[in-house]
Amino acid sequence: MSRRVLLVLFGVVLLTLLTIPGSAAFLADLWFFQEIGFQVVFTKEITTRFLMLLGVGVVSGAVLYLNLRIAQRGLVPDPIVFRMGRQSPGLDVTHLLRRLSLPAAGGLGLLIGLGAMSGWAVVLRALHRTPFGLTDPVFGRDIGYYVFLLPALSTLLGLLSGLLTVTLLILVPIYFLRGDIILRPRQLRIEPSAGLHLAVLLASLFVLTALRLWFVAIPGLLYNTNGPLVGAGFTDLRATLPALRVSAVVALVAAAVVVVGAVRGKLAWYAFWAVGSYLIVAFVGRGVVPLVVQKLVVAPTELTREGPYLANHIRATRHAWGLDSVETRDLGSEASLTLADLRNNGPTLENVRLWDRAPLLQTFGQLQEIRTYYDFVSVDDDRYWIDGKLRQVLLSPRELNPASLPTRTFINEHLTFTHGMGLTLSPVNQVTSEGLPVLFVKDLPPVSTGSLKISRPQIYYGELANEFVFVGTRQQEFDHPAGDENVSTTYAGTGGVTVGGLGRRILLAAHFGSSKILFSQDIRPESRVLYNRHITDRAKKALPFLTFDRDPYMVVVDDGTLKWILDAYTTSALYPYSFRLPDGTTYMRNSAKVVIDAYDGSVTAYVSAPADPIIQTWAKVFPGIFQPLDSLPAGLRAHIRYPDDLYRTQANLYTTYHMDEPETFYHREDQWQIPQVAVADGSVPFMRHIVMRLPDEAQAEFIYMVPFTPRGKDNLAAWMVARNDGEAYGKLRVYRFPRQSLVYGPRQIENRINQDTEVARQVSLWDQRGSQVIRGDLLVIPIEKALLYVQPLYLQAQGGRIPELKRVVVAYQNQVVMEETLDAALAVMFGGAPATRAEPTAAVAETAVAAGDASTRSLAAEARRRYDAALAAQRAGDWARYGEEIKKLGEVLERLGGPPPAR
């Protein structure tokens, strides 16, 4: 075989090895988008990227090559020749540069085109833009100009300016090497044709600078941050804006001056004055003058000067973040709760959340993981109609964790252990006699004790599923354990991509980096590979132009299947005058609900904010991928909820932007804050999901609630709810207390609970026995126009991992009561005797007024506590406290009608 043939074969093999990984990734993405039916997203993105690469690359390369050819036209009278030695032939550098013009221009054009490809989304948004129907208060342009068109103009002008700058940086050395630019002491001589060429480029750069000032920098004033606001203020509009306009005119004059200088053969001198004049005008007009105006004119009377612009900022922020639609209701001074109020708010009391996510996650893990390779990743709040009653529940999917498999082999990780299994679901308010949660759904396979049933419990797509797996292979899939045996299953869904023949196998092996895919005898042509199984990553890949909430949640649908719901946002960093988050976001809408099937991985996107211009734009860019929210099945519609990330941001902003008068806003006269709750590693905002009946509403509903306290104080100022059910979904409402009234806030109630002698005694007793007391979330329960506080107490034995619910503390106004159940605490507080039912119901009032046996049981429980306390004091040698407890025990026994204890 000849040497040439060997070289050709080597080149083919090398090219194949270099292109296979890229081709495999490309085809794997194509197959993924075909699998979920989103081909239009993939093809339009790839097409736009390619056209931008081709268009920008060709134009850039052509501009560079044309200028290089113009610069190197004609002969060089005194060429530069490079020699390695006296006898070696010389290398004509100028001739070499001429020969390199085409490949250099092509290479630079390719690099510029590759860099421009990342702007594909900017181009598509600009081409399919949708008006907002609102105009900015300064220039009167539609907001859509700033959100859609301004980024495209900025990118285009920046690209052209960069191209001209690169061209100038290349041409100046070339002209110098050719001898067209001669640098002598105190003299710079430029050959006329070279000078005219450079002057045209420099003048074009000045023209582009003027365009950037006029169409980018001037609108950009609406994003400035000066003093108390975001957006153009007094100094920006009275000093900086005129300076920018003057600078743009000076840039155009400078362009003309440079051309005139080249024509007159004095390019260097004219260019020096043109550049210098522009820089002086820019420095003085855009630097010195605004500084002086800000310090001498604005600062002394800031509120007067900035008042109108502050109003623009408040108005824009409230609209951009959806705060302008918040309903407000005024409450009178905190009313007194009665037994009738409790009776009328039965659904609220039936759904008081006694289990916190963190302790419950530990309990689920100990009781329901069953095997070491199952994990509960998170616990989510939801509501279901179970046995004819609306119940708030906490649920957690049981996912497979490949890292915890006892033997990590290719077969185990990718062919046998392929999916998680079911979930655990518990009502928020029920406790067993051992202090553990009551489980409505439990075990493997999942068993339901109520009307909620699961028909397809397998979880192939989840929050842990980030490895590829093969299904339909010769290996049996592990489904779930059954005693000492394992039950197998065969995947019957449509998810994944068919393996197919040898060509696909090679590409899949290259993409996943495993040769076992190529040589495994267990994988058949009809087998399917499931990848992109992490639900958040899957959604991001399917809809790369959306931002996703950090907390996806699982839903048990009416037919017993499991589906994930993810909240998706459209965002922008270019809403004029709006408040800016640390990441630059100035506008946000929960514009889509994305549903992913846990079994087959199907992805469906529903538009939840049809009035949002950004989602309207993307719907025009990618027709057919969005469905109206009305088409969301009723079984899923009943479980959508207000998104967590958006609500947290809105609640934080509302603490300031509920003040819509510039003067009040400037002085922060009514600034609020969200109370913080202490946790093991810091503190978190006080925000809770609750099923409750809002004041003036007829039915209980699932709401997301956050309280507000005045800044620097602990009393309650207001509370906000995000509504989740029915036609009220997505509405925000704020209930405000009178500013002159004192309503205890969460921190004040926590202090009262900590200072209560009975609570402190019981916690101290548990601590002495070596157990860890876990204080649950303090719940704020609005009932009518009053507030009830509830806090569960958990006990975790030393060395144990299962927290048990032992006590429930109820606080109302100045009263604090601790009992074993919520019903008992409510009965003691409002009726003088505890209830003794396993499940809270709306009959708290009736139980509270029932005398006789209930009263006797209450006193007996009190006697028992006094007796235990006396024994604890005796063991500790605290005889003073022992005597006090015995005395109190005697008083209780006398009330029971028995003799006092002997001392």
Side-chain angles (χ1 to χ4, degrees):
M1 187 177 294
S2 67
R3 182 178 179 183
R4 179 174 295 179
V5 173
L6 289 174
L7 287 174
V8 171
L9 290 175
F10 176 77
V12 170
V13 172
L14 181 62
L15 182 63
T16 302
L17 292 176
L18 291 175
T19 56
I20 279 182
S23 301
F26 176 85
L27 290 173
D29 285 346
L30 175 60
W31 296 332
F32 165 73
F33 280 98
Q34 289 175 339
E35 172 201 349
I36 63 174
F38 280 33
Q39 300 97 313
V40 64
V41 177
F42 180 79
T43 54
K44 185 156 285 188
E45 178 183 344
I46 292 297
T47 302
T48 306
R49 285 178 176 271
F50 175 75
L51 291 176
M52 291 183 69
L53 169 64
L54 184 65
V56 174
V58 168
V59 170
S60 300
V63 169
L64 287 167
Y65 181 69
L66 178 62
N67 281 278
L68 287 172
R69 294 300 296 173
I70 292 174
Q72 298 179 92
R73 67 192 183 284
L75 298 175
V76 180
D78 190 13
I80 298 176
V81 179
F82 178 76
R83 300 179 187 275
M84 295 293 294
R86 291 186 177 182
Q87 303 300 322
S88 63
L91 177 64
D92 189 341
V93 175
T94 54
H95 180 67
L96 177 63
L97 291 175
R98 183 182 292 112
R99 296 186 62 182
L100 291 175
S101 295
L102 183 59
L108 287 173
L110 178 62
L111 291 176
I112 296 172
L114 290 172
M117 288 172 60
S118 61
W120 67 273
V122 174
V123 171
L124 290 177
R125 284 199 306 264
L127 293 176
H128 298 85
R129 61 189 181 275
T130 303
F132 271 66
L134 296 172
T135 57
D136 76 88
V138 176
F139 304 113
R141 295 190 180 102
D142 187 88
I143 302 299
Y145 171 85
Y146 300 93
V147 173
F148 301 121
L149 198 56
L150 185 61
L153 287 174
S154 178
T155 300
L156 176 61
L157 294 174
L159 185 64
L160 293 174
S161 298
L163 178 60
L164 288 181
T165 302
V166 170
T167 304
L168 278 171
L169 292 176
I170 293 173
L171 292 184
V172 169
I174 289 177
Y175 276 127
F176 182 79
L177 292 174
R178 289 175 56 88
D180 294 325
I181 299 178
I182 301 174
L183 184 62
R184 294 175 180 172
R186 297 186 179 182
Q187 184 181 4
L188 177 62
R189 180 181 174 277
I190 303 177
E191 192 269 333
S193 61
L196 185 60
H197 185 193
L198 295 174
V200 170
L201 293 176
L202 186 57
S204 301
L205 194 56
F206 270 121
V207 171
L208 286 174
T209 300
L211 294 175
R212 293 180 71 183
L213 289 171
W214 201 269
F215 292 106
V216 178
I218 289 178
L221 291 174
L222 303 189
Y223 308 114
N224 280 1
T225 303
N226 291 317
L229 70 144
V230 175
F234 183 91
T235 300
D236 297 313
L237 298 181
R238 300 298 179 88
T240 307
L241 178 58
L244 286 170
R245 289 171 173 166
V246 170
S247 296
V249 173
V250 170
L252 293 175
V253 173
V257 168
V258 168
V259 174
V260 170
V263 172
R264 294 184 175 183
K266 298 179 180 181
L267 173 61
W269 181 251
Y270 277 68
F272 174 78
W273 279 107
V275 174
S277 300
Y278 174 78
L279 293 177
I280 291 173
V281 169
F283 175 74
V284 175
R286 292 148 59 187
V288 176
V289 172
L291 182 63
V292 171
V293 171
Q294 184 69 28
K295 293 292 184 182
L296 301 182
V297 178
V298 176
T301 55
E302 188 174 49
L303 178 57
T304 302
R305 301 292 185 183
E306 302 286 19
Y309 313 110
L310 198 54
N312 294 338
H313 167 62
I314 296 170
R315 188 163 48 250
T317 298
R318 287 171 62 88
H319 179 267
W321 292 99
L323 303 180
D324 56 344
S325 59
V326 175
E327 303 174 33
T328 58
R329 302 285 176 89
D330 290 324
L331 298 171
S333 299
E334 187 178 12
S336 297
L337 277 179
T338 65
L339 295 176
D341 294 328
L342 298 181
R343 185 184 303 112
N344 293 334
N345 288 272
T348 300
L349 297 176
E350 290 171 3
N351 289 284
V352 173
R353 197 179 86 183
L354 300 181
W355 284 104
D356 292 348
R357 293 187 182 189
L360 191 62
L361 186 62
Q362 294 183 50
T363 303
F364 281 173
Q366 288 296 300
L367 299 178
Q368 285 292 305
E369 281 183 358
I370 312 295
R371 296 292 171 89
T372 58
Y373 39 78
Y374 288 124
D375 269 349
F376 291 106
V377 179
S378 62
V379 177
D380 290 309
D381 286 276
D382 208 340
R383 70 285 194 198
Y384 287 84
W385 283 92
I386 300 176
D387 297 330
K389 298 179 69 176
L390 179 63
R391 304 298 301 269
Q392 185 176 349
V393 300
L394 291 165
L395 64 87
S396 184
R398 185 186 293 105
E399 299 199 49
L400 183 76
N401 186 357
S404 299
L405 289 173
T407 306
R408 299 190 63 183
T409 63
F410 177 81
I411 291 178
N412 276 350
E413 290 190 48
H414 302 290
L415 276 68
T416 302
F417 294 90
T418 57
H419 57 273
M421 190 65 176
L423 53 84
T424 297
L425 183 146
S426 170
V428 296
N429 63 328
Q430 285 187 247
V431 186
T432 67
S433 58
E434 295 84 11
L436 299 175
V438 172
L439 302 179
F440 283 174
V441 180
K442 60 182 179 179
D443 297 340
L444 289 174
V447 177
S448 302
T449 58
S451 58
L452 188 67
K453 304 296 181 183
I454 299 178
S455 61
R456 195 174 65 188
Q458 292 83 5
I459 302 174
Y460 285 87
Y461 299 84
E463 294 181 274
L464 275 181
N466 55 0
E467 291 284 342
F468 64 93
V469 296
F470 288 87
V471 295
T473 66
R474 292 184 176 89
Q475 285 287 333
Q476 289 291 314
E477 288 182 64
F478 170 80
D479 195 49
H480 63 271
D484 295 331
E485 302 294 329
N486 289 332
V487 177
S488 299
T489 187
T490 300
Y491 183 72
T494 58
V497 173
T498 305
V499 172
L502 180 61
R504 277 206 175 191
R505 275 210 185 200
I506 293 174
L507 291 171
L508 290 171
H511 180 64
F512 295 117
S514 175
S515 60
K516 295 182 177 65
I517 296 174
L518 184 60
F519 300 111
S520 173
Q521 298 300 310
D522 294 315
I523 301 175
R524 301 178 293 189
E526 60 269 23
S527 299
R528 306 178 74 86
V529 55
L530 279 56
Y531 55 101
N532 294 329
R533 297 195 303 137
H534 188 283
I535 53 172
T536 303
D537 294 342
R538 187 176 184 85
K540 288 179 178 178
K541 194 168 191 65
L543 302 163
F545 45 87
L546 298 179
T547 305
F548 287 87
D549 193 271
R550 60 183 167 183
D551 188 21
Y553 52 99
M554 176 170 278
V555 172
V556 182
V557 191
D558 294 342
D559 62 0
T561 59
L562 305 179
K563 296 184 185 295
W564 295 95
I565 297 181
L566 296 85
D567 285 291
Y569 304 109
T570 49
T571 61
S572 175
L574 295 168
Y575 196 102
Y577 271 108
S578 175
F579 176 86
R580 185 178 298 113
L581 295 182
D583 65 357
T585 303
T586 58
Y587 173 92
M588 193 175 194
R589 288 291 185 273
N590 175 216
S591 295
K593 304 285 185 181
V594 178
V595 178
I596 298 180
D597 192 292
Y599 188 76
D600 61 29
S602 60
V603 180
T604 311
Y606 298 90
V607 175
S608 53
D612 173 40
I614 299 181
I615 201 67
Q616 292 178 22
T617 297
W618 286 121
K620 289 188 285 186
V621 172
F622 303 114
I625 66 169
F626 290 109
Q627 308 298 322
L629 192 62
D630 291 341
S631 65
L632 182 67
L636 287 171
R637 181 65 184 266
H639 296 281
I640 62 174
R641 67 188 191 194
Y642 203 88
D644 187 64
D645 287 347
L646 177 60
Y647 187 57
R648 288 175 183 273
T649 302
Q650 288 176 315
N652 276 291
L653 288 175
Y654 199 77
T655 60
T656 300
Y657 289 91
H658 70 276
M659 300 177 286
D660 53 8
E661 293 296 328
E663 185 172 355
T664 306
F665 183 92
Y666 180 82
H667 293 298
R668 298 295 198 268
E669 294 177 8
D670 193 21
Q671 178 83 46
W672 295 344
Q673 64 187 14
I674 299 175
Q676 298 292 307
V677 179
V679 294
D681 55 351
S683 61
V684 295
F686 192 108
M687 307 179 77
R688 304 287 183 265
H689 284 96
I690 306 173
V691 169
M692 64 167 289
R693 184 175 67 84
L694 294 173
D696 304 323
E697 296 292 337
Q699 300 294 328
E701 56 187 284
F702 188 58
I703 57 98
Y704 198 3
M705 184 262 196
V706 56
F708 297 122
T709 61
R711 184 179 59 177
K713 297 184 180 299
D714 295 328
N715 60 289
L716 210 61
W719 48 280
M720 172 189 276
V721 296
R723 306 176 69 183
N724 295 284
D725 293 340
E727 296 299 321
Y729 170 78
K731 294 182 179 179
L732 301 179
R733 182 181 293 178
V734 171
Y735 293 90
R736 299 184 301 192
F737 292 104
R739 296 178 64 178
Q740 67 274 12
S741 65
L742 175 61
V743 180
Y744 291 126
R747 182 169 297 180
Q748 291 170 317
I749 294 296
E750 278 193 336
N751 292 337
R752 286 186 173 275
I753 293 174
N754 294 335
Q755 293 166 6
D756 183 79
T757 55
E758 180 63 20
V759 175
R761 184 199 64 79
Q762 185 63 66
V763 170
S764 176
L765 180 61
W766 282 332
D767 286 339
Q768 289 175 7
R769 294 177 179 174
S771 299
Q772 179 186 1
V773 178
I774 302 174
R775 293 178 180 268
D777 290 344
L778 180 65
L779 305 174
V780 183
I781 313 296
I783 297 180
E784 300 299 339
K785 296 183 179 181
L787 295 176
L788 193 70
Y789 287 88
V790 177
Q791 184 176 47
L793 298 180
Y794 310 96
L795 192 63
Q796 191 169 22
Q798 188 174 15
R801 290 184 56 192
I802 304 181
E804 299 175 2
L805 179 62
K806 289 300 183 183
R807 295 289 187 273
V808 178
V809 181
V810 174
Y812 170 65
Q813 294 181 347
N814 293 321
Q815 305 175 63
V816 175
V817 173
M818 181 177 70
E819 292 291 338
E820 293 185 1
T821 66
L822 174 63
D823 273 7
L826 290 173
V828 168
M829 177 168 286
F830 294 100
T836 56
R837 288 170 285 105
E839 178 182 346
T841 69
V844 172
E846 288 82 350
T847 304
V849 297
D853 291 343
S855 178
T856 300
R857 286 192 294 269
S858 173
L859 291 172
E862 176 69 14
R864 180 67 186 179
R865 286 197 298 273
R866 296 301 179 189
Y867 178 70
D868 289 341
L871 290 180
Q874 184 183 39
R875 288 192 295 268
D878 188 349
W879 299 108
R881 186 159 67 90
Y882 172 79
E884 181 183 348
E885 293 295 341
I886 288 295
K887 179 181 178 181
K888 292 180 178 179
L889 175 59
E891 295 173 354
V892 174
L893 292 176
E894 286 180 1
R895 290 161 58 191
L896 278 170
R903 299 199 178 197

